[in-house]
Amino acid sequence: MADALIEFRNVNHIYGKGTQQEWDALIDVSVSIRPGEFVAVLGHNGSGKSTLAKHANALLLPSSGCVLVDGMDTRDEETVWDIRQRVGMVFQNPDNQLVATTVEEDVAFGPENLGVPSPEIRRRVDEALLAVDMLEYRLHSPHQLSGGQKQRVAIAGMIAMRPKCIVLDEPTAMLDPVGRQEVMQTVRRLNEEENITVLHITHYMDEAIFADRILVMESGRIALEGTPAQVFSQVDTLYKLQLDVPQMTALAHRLNKRGFSLPADTLTVDELVNQLCQ
Amino acid sequence: MSITVENLSYVYLPDTPMQKQALFDVSVHIDDKEFVGIIGHTGSGKSTLIQHFNGLVKPTSGRVLVDGVDLTQKGVNLRAIRRKVGMVFQYPEHQLFGETVFEDVAFGPKNSGVPDAALEDRVREGLAMVDLDLDVLRERSPFELSGGQKRRVAIAGVLAMKPAILILDEPTAGLDPRGRDEILSQVQSLYQAWDLTVILVTHSMEDIARMAKRLIVMDHGRIALDGTPQDVFSNADKLRSMGLGVPQVTTLIHELHRRGLVQRRDIFTLDEAESEITRVLELKRHGNA
Ligand SMILES: Nc1ncnc2c1ncn2[C@@H]1O[C@H](COP(=O)(O)OP(=O)(O)OP(=O)(O)O)[C@@H](O)[C@H]1O
Ligand SMILES: Nc1ncnc2c1ncn2[C@@H]1O[C@H](COP(=O)(O)OP(=O)(O)OP(=O)(O)O)[C@@H](O)[C@H]1O
Ligand SMILES: [Mg+2]
Ligand SMILES: [Mg+2]
């Protein structure tokens, strides 16, 4: 597909290749991510989500097959820089990503490396910190922050790079409910207003509701793919894949088992309220 | 085993420009065999508080007593305390160190005096409790596992010690939904089977509503609320202003209450919501018939 921003073509990834501990983490994965798309990736522990994500900016290279970012092959060493500029990444544990002595230096690190002029850096840093509600911590050391605060700084650091695509690997796992909401709103706004492509890996089914498309991984393969309504209405299949459905979908499903007839693709509180109060 | 905290204050990096007070005059008592949930916004002091419970962090002022032993006293045997207080830290990577999964999980029980001959069983049992198989993982490096697998190994290592107090700091972050449910029900059954005291720190209002009999809410280094889930979750607005919230089913029930469909507002779990909604819908159906 020519208009894909990221294209995985028959990607295999084997960890520990040639050792006694070979592990097939991705098996013949083909999928393309379109510019401006919001894609959520679900799947049980060890199903290959992080491995997939790390292929999107050449942190990992396919054992066979290829990954194209904006048409550039990640195996081509000369493109790594261009690829990392286009695809920003936030990991499960931000501890390993925060490097500078203050929060604002940390956020400035990316744009500085890109050669962005200083006044512009200042503006981007403030904007990014404001977006994650961490502006008042800009002079703190990242190491003194709590887990959730670190996650927000890591996200700010990525936003300041103005990438075309952001890959978030469980960015909200350590956040309080309001923090999670803020991050998800931030990510959605970046997607909708700035047209930034989003690849969002999560174990919170509720965070996948807003995606354009959901990919469900299982043992290194994409087992299920579709819109949130299409995917989450397959309640029993998801349970079999050790996953869950959004709380409101689960409740509607249970009520239906008791003889009511609510739409199987109910996803949000508002939808369920409206259906119940009809 | 009980825990008593008296007028506990804690300051990180005192007398530096980066000084940060994380706890302000906190007093609380947790009884033997209680199941307590601790919630609070990020940075509210939850991890700092619980790290006092095995002497990992020393109070700047105030006292912490575990099973009647004052941890701030000179010469106190912290090793003996740590044998009884099992702590699963917030980031599992920080807890893993073994070259193999076996070594990692065996470390705690070995140190607390489990004889070599019994270690194998302990490790197998610990891993089974988090749905991992020793035979598959024995020689794997814990650092070469997925995020959720690492967390499971870290939890297994603590469970394998059979502690008297189990403290879990965000144990389900990074676990898939099934793993989350399984580990929480495992904790619940260990709580009953082993007569444990359990302290569970979490950002999941859903989980904590289902599990804990008592909730402690931290806010900016202080205890803001302390009571049953019913008490605590009746303060929806206050919780929201503190970075928290109520379970999503509670939001639903409140909205249904506002629209006049249900009379109750004190519903916090999926099970309760299911039966209450079923009840009112059936009444409505018969009323209309
Ligand atoms: N560095 C590594 N060396 C060897 N095997 C690895 C390595 N990293 C991951 N694996 C294995 O590859 C598989 C996929 O791992 P991956 O991290 O992609 O899973 P995941 O879907 O992100 O899981 P989680 O939800 O737990 O984060 C797992 O079985 C894991 O044990
Ligand atoms: N090592 C440290 N040095 C300096 N300050 C710290 C350190 N660890 C935590 N803090 C600060 O102490 C306060 C309490 O942090 P703590 O980690 O106890 O919060 P928490 O409630 O566990 O948060 P989270 O939900 O994010 O895990 C925060 O403001 C944090 O910035
Ligand atoms: Mg992962
Ligand atoms: Mg914490």
Side-chain angles (χ1 to χ4, degrees):
Chain A
M1 209 161 55
D3 63 345
L5 180 63
I6 304 176
E7 189 175 357
F8 297 81
R9 278 191 197 159
N10 307 101
V11 174
N12 287 283
H13 189 86
I14 305 169
Y15 284 110
K17 199 169 182 177
T19 70
Q20 291 193 328
Q21 301 272 329
E22 280 199 1
W23 194 270
D24 288 312
L26 292 179
I27 302 165
D28 197 26
V29 171
S30 294
V31 64
S32 21
I33 314 293
R34 291 182 289 276
E37 209 179 3
F38 189 135
V39 177
V41 184
L42 309 176
H44 64 72
N45 291 137
S47 58
K49 303 179 299 298
S50 298
T51 306
L52 182 76
K54 287 176 187 162
H55 278 78
N57 78 343
L59 275 180
L60 288 177
L61 298 177
S63 305
S64 68
C66 68
V67 179
L68 303 175
V69 176
D70 237 0
M72 294 175 287
D73 192 322
T74 59
R75 291 173 303 182
D76 181 354
E77 274 174 35
E78 288 180 1
T79 65
V80 167
W81 186 244
D82 288 327
I83 286 173
R84 299 232 168 115
Q85 194 169 327
R86 283 174 176 71
V87 182
M89 186 100 77
V90 168
F91 295 103
Q92 281 179 345
N93 181 353
D95 272 350
N96 315 326
Q97 326 183 58
L98 303 182
V99 288
T101 51
T102 67
V103 164
E104 66 176 11
E105 281 170 32
D106 210 287
V107 177
F109 187 77
E112 263 164 17
N113 270 348
L114 296 180
V116 175
S118 300
E120 167 74 6
I121 290 182
R122 171 86 266 147
R123 213 169 55 80
R124 286 198 193 182
V125 168
D126 288 353
E127 218 176 79
L129 284 172
L130 194 65
V132 298
D133 200 18
M134 285 295 289
L135 197 53
E136 61 174 307
Y137 285 87
R138 65 174 185 270
L139 298 177
H140 285 240
S141 158
H143 300 289
Q144 297 167 7
L145 302 175
S146 70
Q149 292 167 329
K150 284 178 191 162
Q151 288 286 49
R152 278 139 75 181
V153 173
I155 291 171
M158 182 202 56
I159 293 171
M161 309 250 291
R162 302 273 168 81
K164 282 194 178 178
C165 175
I166 53 184
V167 179
L168 301 127
D169 194 348
E170 299 185 45
T172 64
M174 291 294 172
L175 300 192
D176 57 48
V178 169
R180 269 180 62 195
Q181 254 170 27
E182 283 166 4
V183 167
M184 287 314 293
Q185 274 163 9
T186 306
V187 173
R188 282 177 71 194
R189 196 163 46 71
L190 293 169
N191 175 250
E192 282 162 17
E193 292 172 17
E194 317 275 332
N195 205 34
I196 292 179
T197 309
V198 174
L199 200 60
H200 179 73
I201 299 172
T202 184
H203 288 300
Y204 294 106
M205 303 300 122
D206 286 296
E207 292 181 359
I209 293 175
F210 309 104
D212 297 311
R213 188 157 53 121
I214 292 176
L215 307 178
V216 181
M217 304 276 306
E218 157 75 6
S219 305
R221 302 173 199 268
I222 294 174
L224 211 60
E225 188 181 338
T227 63
Q230 288 166 344
V231 168
F232 287 131
S233 52
Q234 304 179 50
V235 179
D236 294 320
T237 309
L238 287 166
Y239 287 158
K240 263 192 222 112
L241 294 171
Q242 311 193 13
L243 295 177
D244 208 343
V245 295
Q247 288 247 306
M248 295 303 115
T249 316
L251 187 52
H253 185 72
R254 287 184 183 202
L255 291 169
N256 285 345
K257 282 198 171 158
R258 288 178 174 248
F260 301 101
S261 44
L262 297 157
D265 60 357
T266 302
L267 298 174
T268 66
V269 170
D270 285 351
E271 285 170 15
L272 189 54
V273 166
N274 287 333
Q275 284 143 12
L276 290 173
C277 292
Q278 264 173 22
Chain B
M1 284 198 346
S2 68
I3 294 177
T4 307
V5 173
E6 291 173 356
N7 307 100
L8 172 61
S9 292
Y10 186 77
V11 181
Y12 282 105
L13 305 170
D15 307 320
T16 72
M18 289 302 166
Q19 171 166 330
K20 169 88 200 170
Q21 181 153 4
L23 296 174
F24 296 84
D25 196 26
V26 171
S27 295
V28 67
H29 177 78
I30 293 169
D31 238 334
D32 188 28
K33 297 179 190 141
E34 261 198 290
F35 195 129
V36 179
I38 303 182
I39 56 178
H41 61 85
T42 67
S44 59
K46 304 180 297 296
S47 297
T48 307
L49 177 65
I50 59 158
Q51 286 175 46
H52 280 85
F53 297 168
N54 70 354
L56 206 69
V57 170
K58 298 251 182 299
T60 303
S61 64
R63 297 203 306 165
V64 177
L65 293 93
V66 175
D67 209 13
V69 178
D70 183 349
L71 301 193
T72 56
Q73 290 282 304
K74 276 217 177 69
V76 63
N77 185 351
L78 281 179
R79 268 179 70 110
I81 296 291
R82 287 187 191 145
R83 235 170 254 167
K84 291 186 259 179
V85 183
M87 175 119 40
V88 177
F89 293 97
Q90 188 162 8
Y91 289 100
E93 295 86 321
H94 294 180
Q95 215 165 351
L96 299 171
F97 62 91
E99 280 192 18
T100 65
V101 168
F102 181 89
E103 206 181 295
D104 211 290
V105 177
F107 180 81
K110 195 169 178 173
N111 257 10
S112 58
V114 173
D116 281 355
L119 267 183
E120 168 100 9
D121 284 344
R122 275 292 185 96
V123 172
R124 184 177 300 280
E125 218 182 316
L127 285 168
M129 285 190 253
V130 296
D131 201 26
L132 292 178
D133 186 345
L134 176 61
D135 297 324
V136 174
L137 291 177
R138 182 191 295 272
E139 296 299 327
R140 291 276 298 268
S141 158
F143 300 99
E144 294 182 352
L145 298 173
S146 79
Q149 290 166 335
K150 282 180 188 161
R151 180 162 293 271
R152 288 167 195 245
V153 170
I155 295 173
V158 172
L159 294 180
M161 291 178 68
K162 305 204 170 167
I165 301 184
L166 183 58
I167 303 177
L168 305 128
D169 197 349
E170 286 286 351
T172 59
L175 290 186
D176 56 50
R178 174 82 61 85
R180 192 184 64 213
D181 288 349
E182 279 170 2
I183 281 173
L184 291 180
S185 47
Q186 193 61 251
V187 168
Q188 192 98 54
S189 47
L190 291 180
Y191 168 66
Q192 279 147 8
W194 292 356
D195 276 339
L196 284 175
T197 304
V198 175
I199 300 171
L200 178 62
V201 177
T202 182
H203 284 308
S204 167
M205 305 299 123
E206 281 75 20
D207 292 341
I208 209 71
R210 267 192 306 131
M211 300 195 52
K213 300 197 182 75
R214 174 181 172 197
L215 288 187
I216 294 173
V217 184
M218 301 283 299
D219 184 42
H220 292 99
R222 294 186 166 83
I223 293 180
L225 292 168
D226 183 346
T228 62
Q230 273 79 353
D231 294 338
V232 167
F233 287 128
S234 64
N235 299 283
D237 292 336
K238 187 166 181 189
L239 288 171
R240 233 163 261 134
S241 75
M242 295 191 297
L244 303 173
V246 295
Q248 203 180 37
V249 290
T250 308
T251 307
L252 173 84
I253 291 293
H254 286 184
E255 190 53 26
L256 293 177
H257 179 267
R258 203 180 61 80
R259 301 262 207 120
L261 186 73
V262 300
Q263 265 70 59
R264 287 179 58 187
R265 283 171 56 86
D266 59 337
I267 286 177
F268 314 107
T269 66
L270 216 49
D271 288 348
E272 291 173 300
E274 179 187 352
S275 49
E276 181 64 9
I277 293 171
T278 305
R279 200 180 61 82
V280 298
L281 286 184
E282 263 161 10
L283 276 179
K284 209 166 120 183
R285 200 186 261 170
H286 293 302
N288 291 344

